[in-house]
Amino acid sequence: MLTWSSLSFQSFQRPDAMPTLLSLPVASSLPALYLSKFPSPRLASRRSASFPRCSLLSVPTDVPPVAGGNSRSKTSPAEVSRTIVELSSIGTLSSLSTDGWPLSVGARFVVDSQGAPALCLNRPERLFVSDGPSSFHVQFDQMRSRTPQCTLLGRLSKPNDIFLLKRLHAKWEKKYGEELEEELIYLFSVDKVLQIEDLKEDGIWVASSEYINAEPDPLRDFAEKIVDEMNSIHPEDVLRLYSVYVEPGFQQAADTKLIWVDRLGFDMFIYSENAVYSVRIPFPREVTNEKEVKSSFNSMSHLAWEIEKGYATPDFEKVTCIKRVR
């Protein structure tokens, strides 16, 4: 079970000792989904069930499957886009060349407080039509399994705000460890955004106001570390979370893998013999920092263990939406 080296170990006093996931500190007020510890009849095994033939059930995804949980189970496309540009370092600028051909070049960038990329470019007017409509494409690899991406539509301009330039210089030096020459800075205005969840997926258009007013996910800087530790050290906990929090009709899985975690929940891939599926499992409540996300994983896995052992019964709505991805 899951352990976090920086947190103290807490044992669980039962004859058949709880798994070591409980080395995580359980919050003083457990999530609303936490149930009584009095034993209940052992749940019948559901391992023999198999995946449905359909690739996606027609069940709303904006209703959280955990009683007393969030009003939404998934972050908005605007939030996802802001998170992608914050986590990425290189994007692709595309526009019409001076001789009328479509042209794309790669560029390093940082982001201002409203999510507008500040690109490092060497005299782009030599290549592109000056002040012409352009796009800036950014993508981010999640655990070598999924590639969320966004394409910003807008225009390049030279920033002239002294305070903005200072902030951009500071962010550039912090991110890349080098100074940025002022004459190479170009700011990309954002008119609208196309957000795509993964390769081959359909996109969703995001208005400029939604993008600007959205906040990047607060877990972004340590999400990959947590996901990697869960997959590499505690795969049995990942499987248990899937087995308990997803409808029993989807229980048959050769393997499971955590893909990403954000403030509202986590995404998981399920590998069967012939296909790969994705599922979204919400947290009992929104989390905003590393301590809270660890506590949520701890309490959810604690409950999943009790249900699996027959000490508790589920008192929450299970996830009923699963999508075939390949």
Side-chain angles (χ1 to χ4, degrees):
M1 296 292 293
L2 176 61
T3 59
W4 302 98
S5 59
S6 60
L7 303 174
S8 60
F9 179 83
Q10 297 178 345
S11 61
F12 190 83
Q13 302 302 320
R14 271 212 181 107
D16 53 346
M18 275 291 296
T20 57
L21 178 62
L22 293 182
S23 58
L24 273 170
V26 179
S28 58
S29 177
L30 286 173
L33 60 80
Y34 192 79
L35 304 177
S36 168
K37 295 182 180 179
F38 291 104
S40 61
R42 182 174 300 275
L43 299 178
S45 173
R46 304 173 212 160
R47 298 283 181 183
S48 60
S50 60
F51 283 112
R53 293 183 181 274
C54 60
S55 60
L56 176 62
L57 297 183
S58 56
V59 179
T61 59
D62 58 345
V63 179
V66 181
N70 305 299
S71 60
R72 290 188 301 161
S73 64
K74 192 172 184 179
T75 53
S76 70
E79 292 176 87
V80 174
S81 297
R82 287 293 303 268
T83 302
I84 291 171
V85 296
E86 287 284 348
L87 287 173
S88 302
S89 300
I90 298 177
T92 302
L93 175 69
S94 302
S95 188
L96 289 178
S97 65
T98 53
D99 57 0
W101 287 90
L103 182 65
S104 300
V105 295
R108 290 193 298 173
F109 69 97
V110 292
V111 184
D112 73 3
S113 60
Q114 295 185 327
L119 284 60
C120 178
L121 297 167
N122 188 3
R123 296 177 59 193
E125 64 275 5
R126 294 178 304 167
L127 301 174
F128 301 108
V129 175
S130 179
D131 195 33
S134 306
S135 68
F136 190 61
H137 178 79
V138 183
Q139 62 185 39
F140 179 73
D141 177 73
Q142 291 180 342
M143 307 307 295
R144 299 172 297 281
S145 299
R146 188 172 66 180
T147 310
Q149 53 193 283
C150 61
T151 302
L152 287 61
L153 303 186
R155 298 173 186 268
L156 282 178
S157 63
K158 289 293 294 181
N160 50 22
D161 184 323
I162 297 177
F163 296 104
L164 173 60
L165 286 169
K166 287 183 177 179
R167 290 194 295 270
L168 294 176
H169 275 284
K171 291 194 71 172
W172 191 276
E173 187 170 356
K174 180 180 180 180
K175 189 170 188 176
Y176 299 108
E178 61 184 35
E179 293 187 3
L180 176 63
E181 299 179 44
E182 187 171 318
E183 63 272 16
L184 302 183
I185 300 178
Y186 289 82
L187 197 63
F188 191 91
S189 63
V190 181
D191 294 335
K192 59 180 178 178
V193 179
L194 177 65
Q195 198 274 314
I196 300 177
E197 185 175 343
D198 197 5
L199 303 175
K200 300 187 296 183
E201 296 278 350
D202 292 333
I204 299 175
W205 286 104
V206 177
S208 174
S209 58
E210 292 180 76
Y211 177 82
I212 291 172
N213 292 323
E215 293 289 338
D217 187 73
L219 309 187
R220 64 189 183 277
D221 291 332
F222 50 84
E224 186 171 4
K225 179 187 73 173
I226 291 177
V227 170
D228 183 64
E229 183 168 345
M230 288 287 288
N231 287 328
S232 61
I233 305 177
H234 313 287
E236 71 283 356
D237 299 318
V238 178
L239 178 60
R240 182 176 290 112
L241 288 170
Y242 166 70
S243 299
V244 171
Y245 286 92
V246 179
E247 274 295 337
F250 311 136
Q251 294 290 335
Q252 189 66 37
D255 194 15
T256 53
K257 181 179 180 181
L258 211 62
I259 299 302
W260 200 247
V261 59
D262 57 51
R263 66 185 181 88
L264 297 181
F266 51 95
D267 300 314
M268 188 182 295
F269 273 12
I270 304 98
Y271 300 86
S272 69
E273 292 183 3
N274 302 314
V276 180
Y277 299 83
S278 69
V279 67
R280 169 79 176 183
I281 301 178
F283 285 130
R285 55 173 57 85
E286 180 178 343
V287 295
T288 58
N289 56 53
E290 190 169 4
K291 181 178 179 180
E292 289 177 359
V293 71
K294 291 176 180 179
S295 179
S296 288
F297 270 126
N298 178 51
S299 59
M300 290 178 74
S301 296
H302 183 168
L303 176 62
W305 184 88
E306 288 203 332
I307 292 173
E308 190 177 74
K309 294 295 183 181
Y311 298 126
T313 54
D315 190 25
F316 51 83
E317 295 180 31
K318 295 196 174 190
V319 175
T320 56
C321 185
I322 187 169
K323 181 174 69 174
R324 181 170 179 168
V325 293
R326 61 179 76 112

